Amino acid sequence: KNQVEQSPQSLIILEGKNCTLQCNYTVSPFSNLRWYKQDTGRGPVSLTIMTFSENTKSNGRYTATLDADTKQSSLHITASQLSDSASYICVVSDFNNDMRFGAGTRLTVKP
Amino acid sequence: DTAVSQTPKYLVTQMGNDKSIKCEQNLGHDTMYWYKQDSKKFLKIMFSYNNKELIINETVPNRFSPKSPDKAHLNLHINSLELGDSAVYFCASSHTRGVETQYFGPGTRLLVL
């Protein structure tokens, strides 16, 4: 079983709507959690990085939350745009900097 | 200017061949990485390299070897290519090995026939 589970696997929303992607992890001892956006055919782009002491971080219309007690994170996208269509990947690292990747959520924003 | 660049973008080769993928970063970063993304889009780290210290993911076959001629370059050499090596390989860099933003290259699509 993967130590980082993302849900849903895929999501389709209408332009302008909000959505929330989930990431649950069992990685321990926890160091940091990252969210990446990966457009089709391109490399991942970092959206946020959060450490144990941070419970929310924003990057424009993207807001990530972290609950280190329940080992859950979410990525909220506000007022979605067509360019938000991409895969969103959650990555959790332990104190040894070993990174565990989620399988990603494939988001499609339709006009 | 491209921050992290990789060449070639596409690589098609026969099983058993030896090939190299080049990576260069112009960000002045100390740490570079190689990742493999399989057909199911699962990303997996292969190597990280910092100040001549190489950290290898234990699952990576020893047919794969990174070579760093200088701080700005981390090339990936693959010997005796196998069908299962077909994937997209991403190079990335960060300021240090710690909790830093990693910047990814555009990827090299390798197909082994």
Side-chain angles (χ1 to χ4, degrees), chain A residues 2 4 31-32 34 36 38 40-46 49-51 89 97-99 101-103, chain B residues 9 33 35 37 40-45 55 90 97-107 109:
Chain A
N2 193 23
V4 179
S31 172
N32 62 87
R34 304 164 190 252
Y36 286 96
Q38 186 176 21
T40 301
R42 292 180 175 252
V45 173
S46 180
I49 305 175
M50 287 185 293
T51 58
I89 303 170
N97 271 326
D98 286 337
M99 288 184 279
F101 291 78
Chain B
K9 188 171 182 180
Y33 311 81
Y35 291 84
Q37 189 169 42
K40 295 183 179 178
K41 307 299 182 187
F42 225 114
L43 265 172
K44 188 179 292 185
I45 189 165
I55 296 181
F90 289 101
R97 186 171 269 146
V99 186
E100 300 274 354
T101 298
Q102 292 185 17
Y103 295 85
F104 282 75
R109 285 133 191 91

Side-chain angles (χ1 to χ4, degrees), chain B residues 1-13:
Chain B
D1 283 343
T2 304
V4 182
S5 59
Q6 297 178 226
T7 54
K9 188 171 182 180
Y10 298 96
L11 183 54
V12 181
T13 187

Side-chain angles (χ1 to χ4, degrees), chain B residues 27-91:
Chain B
L27 297 167
H29 287 166
D30 285 339
T31 305
M32 296 184 72
Y33 311 81
W34 275 104
Y35 291 84
K36 178 182 180 182
Q37 189 169 42
D38 61 26
S39 57
K40 295 183 179 178
K41 307 299 182 187
F42 225 114
L43 265 172
K44 188 179 292 185
I45 189 165
M46 301 176 70
F47 305 100
S48 68
Y49 187 82
N50 174 295
N51 292 330
K52 301 190 191 309
E53 182 187 7
L54 177 67
I55 296 181
I56 304 171
N57 183 322
E58 60 191 17
T59 66
V60 175
N62 57 15
R63 298 181 294 104
F64 290 78
S65 57
K67 297 281 194 307
S68 180
D70 55 59
K71 201 172 85 165
H73 297 83
L74 185 67
N75 303 324
L76 183 65
H77 298 270
I78 316 170
N79 294 327
S80 303
L81 277 156
E82 300 178 356
L83 296 177
D85 297 334
S86 296
V88 181
Y89 292 85
F90 289 101
C91 177

